[in-house]
Amino acid sequence: MKAHLLFPDYDFDPNAASPPQWPDLAQDLEVGTLLTAMCKDDEFLRDVATRTLMAACGAGDARIIAYRQGALRDALDYPEQVRALYALVIEAIDSRKAHFFGLSLLGRNPSSNLRGAVELLQTFVQFLRRLRQQADNCSGSFHSEAFRTLFAELQHEISDTYFDRVQQHLETLRFRHGELFTASLGPGNAGKDYVLHAGSRPGWLARLLHKAPPEFTFRLPDRDEAGAQALSALVDQGLNEVANAMAQATDHVLSFFELLRAELGFYVACLNLHQQLSALNVPLCMPTFQSTGSLRLNVQALSDSTLALTLQRAPVGNTLDANGKNLVAVTGANQGGKSTFLRSIGLAQIMLHAGLFVTAQSFESDLASGVFTHYKREEDVELQGGKLDEELARMRAIADHIQPGALWLSNESFAATNAREGSELLLQVVDALRQRGIKVALVTHLFEAARRLQMQDAERVCMLRAERRDDGSRSFKLEAADALQTSYGADLYTEVFGPDSTETPLIQTHFQQDQAGEQQAGIAPSEE
């Protein structure tokens, strides 16, 4: 019996290897904040959610995404029933602990193993009955392919007839009237070819009227410990195969419960996240998607889920129509929401691939063959190389794995060198990626690079700029606009020396004069 709540054709693999880009992507997009909200201090839920999101940074599969979205809609419509199913499965798995304790006291011979397996399977049967009852109650309400298939399989595979047959077999395996074996004599008169028979003891009238065949009987004397041990060894030999078969049967039922726990756990984690974001009044929607390479990106009020969870309030959302664009470039003032917007794009793509909702009023995107990030890093504390060396090494690792149709997110890449070198490096990398059919979203303060990117292919470039009000405050809104040749030095001065400093206008005047001189000399000033 299979759960098939996450995949329509195969099971969830808890031991799947992580994609090579996962460590950097999880760090850059702050996925840990999202996982903390999903698991609520439950390490098992965290592991399931981690592995599901980890797989989602690879290629998006339209069939799997639609399958999960349908199941998630059912979970959101009937959260109490899903949580009740999950709680029942956990209770079933935890019930084995008492049986394992009793089994360890009895020993590990075939006789005790068989008794323990019979009792554990009897317990599992009771939980299967309860699971079947919940399936009966929910089957008329849930509409997704995933849950309807699960409930139909439970109703078919563990029917009333199934329970009756299992109960009969378990009663037989208790051997209340002793075990009946047949065996042959082997070399040295040792027993071989042991066969256990499911014989039953006839009633007293049948025993009285029926003439039994001749038999030889041997009775152990009292206190014959050696004889008792020898007889016990004979019984164990006869029960060995049956004990192994029963152990496999209990393992099979247990593995079903464990798999069902993992796949239900993902939807419970989604419910946890949905509950927290809804309480913060963050807009949520089920995203729509198009085929890989169709260059679709149209969002309404998209916000960063990790920022909402950190601030414990709904952050400012942004609207973007980048359909037909293979480059989204964001420039503008520091602390204006550029990195937050880039993170929201990356997280939304990962959540889409995982079959999750996203934090937006509406979200449409094409599926990616993979999601990769290239963010600036701090100085190497081990002094193995400079910051630029480290950036280039990470870019080389990305180039080894990125494929056409992927999404590459860049935040201040190649900012560790001067503006001219950094611009040239960024331009060459972006040009190479776009030629390979890879969609790029980047944040940069390199004005020359942003200007040249727009000039090269204006029709397929979406230029955004972080809004800065006249008084220097930020709205955290991004607007469609060209990059500005300014770094807002007055803002930096005010941040350091305070808003009431009388020297601010003079500093601003000097900065503007320096800028004009650079323009006359043909030098593009940096934004820092």
Side-chain angles (χ1 to χ4, degrees), residues 276-296:
Q276 294 185 56
L277 292 173
S278 297
L280 300 175
N281 295 319
V282 177
L284 300 172
C285 74
M286 201 65 74
T288 59
F289 53 90
Q290 302 295 331
S291 60
T292 303
S294 57
L295 298 181
R296 303 289 295 182

Side-chain angles (χ1 to χ4, degrees), residues 2-57:
K2 303 294 184 180
H4 286 176
L5 288 178
L6 291 180
F7 303 95
D9 304 318
Y10 53 93
D11 298 328
F12 171 74
D13 183 4
N15 300 313
S18 63
Q21 72 268 30
W22 171 251
D24 284 337
L25 186 142
Q27 175 183 341
D28 296 335
L29 300 185
E30 300 181 16
V31 178
T33 303
L34 202 67
L35 293 172
T36 299
M38 297 178 77
C39 74
K40 287 189 173 181
D41 299 324
D42 187 322
E43 288 303 318
F44 180 82
L45 285 183
R46 188 182 187 91
D47 182 67
V48 170
T50 299
R51 293 186 178 279
T52 307
L53 293 180
M54 182 176 69
C57 71

Side-chain angles (χ1 to χ4, degrees), residues 334 338 374 376 391 410-415 443-446:
N334 292 330
K338 303 189 301 295
H374 190 269
K376 62 181 180 180
E391 286 191 81
S410 164
N411 190 6
E412 305 287 11
S413 294
F414 312 116
V443 168
T444 183
H445 70 272
L446 300 172

Side-chain angles (χ1 to χ4, degrees), residues 334 376 412 415 445 486-487 492 511 525-528:
N334 292 330
K376 62 181 180 180
E412 305 287 11
H445 70 272
T486 177
S487 60
L492 299 177
F511 178 79
S526 69
E527 291 194 18
E528 292 193 337

Side-chain angles (χ1 to χ4, degrees), residues 7 21 44 52 54 60 72 75 103 128 131 216 228 285 304 335 353 394 396 415 419 433 447 509:
F7 303 95
Q21 72 268 30
F44 180 82
T52 307
M54 182 176 69
L72 182 55
L103 186 60
L128 287 174
L131 186 62
F216 298 96
C285 74
D304 178 10
Q335 305 299 319
H353 283 194
R394 276 191 290 123
R396 181 174 61 184
L433 292 174
F447 168 76
T509 301

Side-chain angles (χ1 to χ4, degrees), residues 380-449:
D380 182 9
V381 295
E382 297 181 355
L383 300 179
Q384 298 296 318
K387 292 180 69 174
L388 182 59
D389 290 339
E390 188 273 338
E391 286 191 81
L392 292 173
R394 276 191 290 123
M395 192 63 234
R396 181 174 61 184
I398 290 173
D400 290 339
H401 297 96
I402 198 166
Q403 298 292 327
L407 173 63
W408 185 68
L409 305 171
S410 164
N411 190 6
E412 305 287 11
S413 294
F414 312 116
T417 183
N418 60 65
R420 184 169 297 173
E421 282 187 353
S423 295
E424 191 62 33
L425 284 170
L426 183 61
L427 286 168
Q428 291 189 23
V429 168
V430 171
D431 185 57
L433 292 174
R434 294 173 69 193
Q435 287 185 21
R436 288 283 291 165
I438 294 167
K439 191 159 66 172
V440 175
L442 62 86
V443 168
T444 183
H445 70 272
L446 300 172
F447 168 76
E448 181 63 19

Side-chain angles (χ1 to χ4, degrees), residues 315-332:
V316 174
N318 278 286
T319 297
L320 171 67
D321 184 358
N323 289 338
K325 314 291 186 181
N326 63 1
L327 171 62
V328 177
V330 187
T331 62

